[in-house]
Amino acid sequence: MKRLYWMSPDIFEAEVKVKAIADGKVTIEPVIFHPDEGGQPADKGAIGEANVCNVEIVNGQIVHTLDRPLSDGKYIARLNKQRRLYTASQHTAQHILSGIAEKQFGLGTTGVHIGFERCTVDFDRKIDSETVKELEQKSMEVVTLNIPVETVFNDTDVRIRSNSREIESDVIRVVKIGDYDKSACCGAHLRTTGQIGIIRIFDIENKKKGTRMFFLAGRKALEQSQLETSVLRELRKSAGCSTSELSAIFQKTLGHSKELTKEINRLWSRMLPELVKSAEAAEVESSKIGIQVTDVPRQLVTKLAGMIAEAIDGTGIVVSDVSIAISSNRMNANELLRKIQNTVGGKGGGSAKAANGKLNRTVTTDELITILKHY
Ligand SMILES: [Zn+2]
């Protein structure tokens, strides 16, 4: 099994010998499609007229799943070049990041994922944003130096990262990037580090005892940076300040907003007793009901219904726009809610003591009384 992309990663088209092993499944020689392996997604493309839907390792063989069967013979195989260049860029960038992280910061790589929206490297320890900044700068130096990405075989001085556990061949293929990285890997890479263009680290998050680092390389990194720049531009425009002032202004605004919320809650708690008193009194099945149809914040609808029920030792019904809450010491709140919903529609429910939900339309106090008395 000759993996052409190990030594010639820039061959995107080749004549291959196809051997059918099952319906729509073939092996090819030489192999030009990278399988789903080591955190790098499978290549796509075509073999003859058949599209390659998936490439995976099955019992030590690289198996291609096609959208139609192919009989044994020679065919031209073509890679989806854009997809390969994307995954190879991210993967080569990951080698550089993991290599520098290990050599200069003593960080071991415990996992790698190459995705089409985001890529991650997991490290075995916690790292801070200063380390991230330095790691990003140093990795960009390696890009600028345009160092060859070399393949050597059976090197004795090699680190095997956890993502390379699936190596099943008798030869160990080692990928070497100058003095920056040397590790066993089955993946597809770029020829030189300069082809990556850009490496950006966008975020870090805690992952158990270690750190998950989010990065992107190449055009995708540029696009993500442009997106973040445009968000910053919008924020600067709204806040009327410079980028460096944004954080302080945001914190101040957040604090102000919390103060206002507190103030509003305080004012409402003063007004609620008045709304209890002004609730419209009705009697249904010789039980007292207090109804209040008014605008109150959604989170206070249930509280107010409870206060009314308590005050009249009966049932409190509160409707604010289409939100409804019923609290009852004497009747079944859930059944009352269902009775109202049967006429005006809506959803929600609860227990005998308390129920709440949404109505399909607004209602008046008189309408509610009519529904409760006659339906
Ligand atoms: Zn690799």
Side-chain angles (χ1 to χ4, degrees):
M1 182 167 73
K2 189 183 177 203
R3 302 186 198 221
L4 206 62
Y5 55 83
W6 275 8
M7 300 305 287
S8 312
D10 37 16
I11 292 181
F12 300 102
E13 187 177 320
E15 190 184 65
V16 296
K17 220 168 111 186
V18 168
K19 192 167 173 264
I21 53 167
D23 200 26
K25 290 189 188 289
V26 300
T27 59
I28 63 173
E29 188 68 36
V31 178
I32 73 161
F33 296 92
H34 177 273
D36 185 357
E37 181 183 27
Q40 183 172 4
D43 282 332
K44 293 211 166 167
I47 303 171
E49 293 293 302
N51 291 310
V52 176
C53 309
N54 194 24
V55 189
E56 59 196 330
I57 297 180
V58 183
N59 301 326
Q61 272 191 314
I62 297 181
V63 177
H64 306 67
T65 305
L66 309 176
D67 68 347
R68 70 196 76 175
L70 274 189
S71 48
D72 292 4
K74 284 187 172 176
Y75 297 87
I76 297 295
R78 287 183 189 89
L79 278 183
N80 177 330
K81 189 175 169 182
Q82 238 187 335
R83 181 182 167 99
R84 157 65 76 78
L85 286 176
Y86 172 82
T87 63
S89 295
Q90 313 303 320
H91 183 68
T92 308
Q94 177 263 312
H95 271 274
I96 297 170
L97 290 166
S98 288
I100 296 171
E102 183 155 334
K103 284 196 171 178
Q104 303 198 17
F105 301 101
L107 296 162
T109 292
T110 57
V112 171
H113 174 73
I114 307 297
F116 289 92
E117 289 306 317
R118 55 190 214 172
C119 303
T120 59
V121 181
D122 294 341
F123 294 124
D124 55 2
R125 282 195 295 111
K126 298 263 179 278
I127 58 174
D128 57 21
S129 52
E130 274 310 303
T131 308
V132 168
K133 225 194 251 177
E134 238 181 291
L135 180 56
E136 189 179 50
Q137 283 169 0
K138 287 191 192 310
S139 71
M140 272 308 294
E141 281 168 29
V142 180
V143 171
T144 317
L145 288 169
N146 199 22
I147 298 167
V149 180
E150 295 171 280
T151 281
V152 289
F153 289 99
N154 291 336
D155 195 293
T156 49
D157 174 34
V158 65
R159 285 166 293 115
I160 297 179
R161 294 205 181 99
S162 67
N163 61 320
S164 311
R165 270 185 303 223
E166 294 144 35
I167 296 169
E168 86 302 328
S169 57
D170 49 352
V171 289
I172 290 185
R173 183 252 196 154
V174 175
V175 172
K176 183 173 173 285
I177 303 175
D179 292 330
Y180 297 94
D181 190 39
K182 197 195 238 178
S183 52
C185 181
C186 288
H189 309 89
L190 298 175
R191 270 239 180 260
T192 64
T193 60
Q195 287 177 280
I196 299 171
I198 320 169
I199 299 176
R200 290 289 335 268
I201 300 171
F202 287 99
D203 210 357
I204 46 170
E205 68 181 35
N206 289 334
K207 180 131 196 304
K208 291 177 188 162
K209 285 179 177 171
T211 306
R212 173 161 288 179
M213 186 178 84
F214 297 84
F215 76 96
L216 283 170
R219 191 181 167 83
K220 192 79 186 168
L222 177 65
E223 284 169 3
Q224 184 63 26
S225 295
Q226 286 176 323
L227 177 74
E228 296 198 347
T229 302
S230 67
V231 170
L232 280 177
R233 193 186 302 126
E234 287 300 316
L235 288 175
R236 280 197 307 268
K237 213 166 122 189
S238 306
C241 69
S242 66
T243 302
S244 58
E245 290 166 327
L246 266 178
S247 181
I249 286 183
F250 181 72
Q251 290 302 332
K252 203 173 143 190
T253 310
L254 214 58
H256 187 56
S257 158
K258 274 183 194 158
E259 285 300 314
L260 282 178
T261 306
K262 258 193 226 165
E263 187 67 17
I264 289 167
N265 288 341
R266 204 173 57 79
L267 289 172
W268 269 111
S269 65
R270 275 195 192 177
M271 283 170 71
L272 287 183
E274 286 304 313
L275 291 171
V276 172
K277 268 190 221 162
S278 63
E280 185 84 18
E283 213 175 278
V284 174
E285 294 163 17
S286 62
S287 183
K288 281 187 202 163
I289 295 186
I291 300 171
Q292 186 60 272
V293 178
T294 186
D295 281 335
V296 291
R298 213 155 23 127
Q299 68 271 23
L300 293 178
V301 173
T302 299
K303 188 180 177 183
L304 182 57
M307 286 170 75
I308 294 170
E310 205 58 45
I312 62 172
D313 191 22
T315 302
I317 301 180
V318 177
V319 178
S320 174
D321 190 32
V322 292
S323 293
I324 181 167
I326 303 176
S327 180
S328 187
N329 298 337
R330 302 278 166 184
M331 301 175 85
N332 188 315
N334 197 37
E335 275 174 21
L336 289 174
L337 178 62
R338 205 166 305 152
K339 209 170 178 182
I340 297 166
Q341 285 169 340
N342 282 344
T343 309
V344 297
K347 54 184 179 182
S351 64
K353 280 216 152 284
N356 61 70
K358 291 241 182 270
L359 301 176
N360 280 354
R361 58 173 174 84
T362 55
V363 287
T364 62
T365 308
D366 289 344
E367 197 181 353
L368 275 179
I369 293 170
T370 309
I371 292 169
L372 292 171
K373 281 191 174 174
H374 302 288
Y375 292 94

